[in-house]
Amino acid sequence: MLRWVIFVIVYIILGFYSLQAIKTASRYPGVYYSFIVIMLLVVGNFIYQFTFGESDGRVLSRPKSYAFGFLLALLSFQLITVLFLFSEDIFRFLSGSYQKIFGVDREFSFPERRRFLSLVALGIAALPFGSLLYGMYRGKYNFKVLKYTLEFDDLPDAFDGYTISQISDVHSGSFDNEEKVSYAIDLVNKQKSDVLFFTGDLVNNKAEEMEPWKVLFSKLEAPDGKFSILGNHDYGDYVDWDTEEEKAANLEELKKIQKEIGFDLILNDSRYLQRKEDKIALIGVENWGRGGFKKSGDLKKASEKIDKNDFKILLSHDPSHWEDVVIHDEYHYHLTLSGHTHGMQFGIEIPGWIKWSPIKWRYKYWAGIYKELGQFINVNRGFGFLGYPGRVGIWPEITVITLKKKPLA
């Protein structure tokens, strides 16, 4: 109860500054009162969803996600206006104090707010506010196909020009638009890659979330197969289960659904991709993550059936596994495919100029292609979304990688 009281007090203080900016900038009382109504509706819905809203053991249901998203957008607006107006208040206080000490009438009074500064504050605050609303309305389904060509000295000849499609972090429990998801499935198939890899997090929490989407995802096509692994959300660790047996049954149901979709789920094991007389080793590990995430991935066990000299592709959900374990292993894993970070679903990317997201402060390798010690990793930005029900600047991704034999010097 105390945390809600503190939250409401902070929210009111932030809202007070936003209202001051609106009152100073606009001559229409309707704008002022409309903002008050919006503030009350957003915070009221948020408190309701997280106290009396639906509760089936899930961390974030769809209504809770949207309540969080609208609150986040409004808070971004409020914080920007506070930054400007609080700074102005410090100036007004110092100016009033100076007049009291050195002025003629020696009375303390605040100078009036400057309308221009309020207009600037509102204009700048509208940018993140509008972006977050856009991310919820359109950005979350703004699918992008990102294509890379990677060269290797020891790529088997028959695999020169071999194409891979990768998707990751579906989070089917968050989907709310069948038409958009269907478009994305068609977009994956249009790439006509030789093989398809899915690198974990099919659901948010429960296997049942995937039921409405099974038929759609079963339409994914790749001539050499569709292979998958588990992500941290697939184990049901974020649900308050009544019994361990119920949790275990949920995981088994998820594995069954993956099979129904047509995925070959690799659990600390390996497969071979064959072309003529050549082959590539495909290794899949269960989730292994740094910082409190499940560490079920066993690289040694997964690689028992392959040869050290094989050309290797590793599927591992969390890129921290690559950083902490994979690149230092005695086996040389030529290419690792990961996901997990979502690029935080928020950032700025201008190819060739800038790639930034707050997630970079937690993950060194958070989106795109990286190379260390002669080994590559691609960190997919994710197919779906979780928590904030949108994406801003970091769009949902379908990766296409072409493997090439490096020409002789």
Side-chain angles (χ1 to χ4, degrees), residues 32-156:
Y32 180 82
Y33 292 115
S34 295
F35 188 77
I36 292 176
V37 172
I38 292 171
M39 279 180 53
L40 293 175
L41 287 174
V42 168
V43 74
N45 181 51
F46 180 80
I47 293 173
Y48 170 79
Q49 293 297 341
F50 282 84
T51 52
F52 305 107
E54 65 174 277
S55 178
D56 60 357
R58 290 183 288 176
V59 178
L60 277 179
S61 62
R62 195 174 298 159
K64 287 180 179 178
S65 293
Y66 276 96
F68 170 71
F70 285 120
L71 181 72
L72 185 65
L74 193 57
L75 284 175
S76 71
F77 182 88
Q78 292 175 335
L79 287 170
I80 296 295
T81 55
V82 165
L83 181 64
F84 277 85
L85 268 66
F86 184 70
S87 300
E88 185 186 27
D89 280 349
I90 294 175
F91 173 80
R92 293 167 69 207
F93 175 79
L94 293 175
S95 178
S97 299
Y98 179 85
Q99 290 298 324
K100 179 174 176 58
I101 296 172
F102 301 106
V104 177
D105 53 14
R106 299 295 179 93
E107 289 185 4
F108 179 84
S109 62
F110 269 121
E112 290 187 2
R113 289 196 180 280
R114 289 170 291 177
R115 185 168 183 266
F116 173 76
L117 188 64
S118 292
L119 286 169
V120 170
L122 292 173
I124 295 176
L127 294 177
F129 178 72
S131 296
L132 288 166
L133 291 180
Y134 173 83
M136 294 166 63
Y137 176 60
R138 293 185 64 91
K140 61 188 176 184
Y141 295 123
N142 187 23
F143 293 95
K144 301 296 182 183
V145 178
L146 302 183
K147 297 186 177 184
Y148 305 98
T149 298
L150 302 180
E151 293 186 338
F152 302 88
D153 292 318
D154 53 350
L155 179 71

Side-chain angles (χ1 to χ4, degrees), residues 169-186:
D169 299 87
V170 165
H171 290 289
S172 56
S174 299
F175 289 150
D176 54 12
N177 190 317
E178 184 176 351
E179 182 182 353
K180 296 294 186 180
V181 177
S182 178
Y183 162 78
I185 297 296
D186 290 341

Side-chain angles (χ1 to χ4, degrees), residues 364-399:
K364 182 178 180 181
Y365 310 103
W366 59 273
I369 297 286
Y370 302 89
K371 186 178 182 181
E372 296 285 354
L373 302 177
Q375 300 166 82
F376 289 96
I377 186 174
N378 179 61
V379 184
N380 185 283
R381 293 160 181 81
F383 188 91
F385 49 93
L386 180 69
Y388 163 62
R391 284 178 175 267
V392 179
I394 306 294
W395 312 118
E397 174 183 346
I398 298 161
T399 310

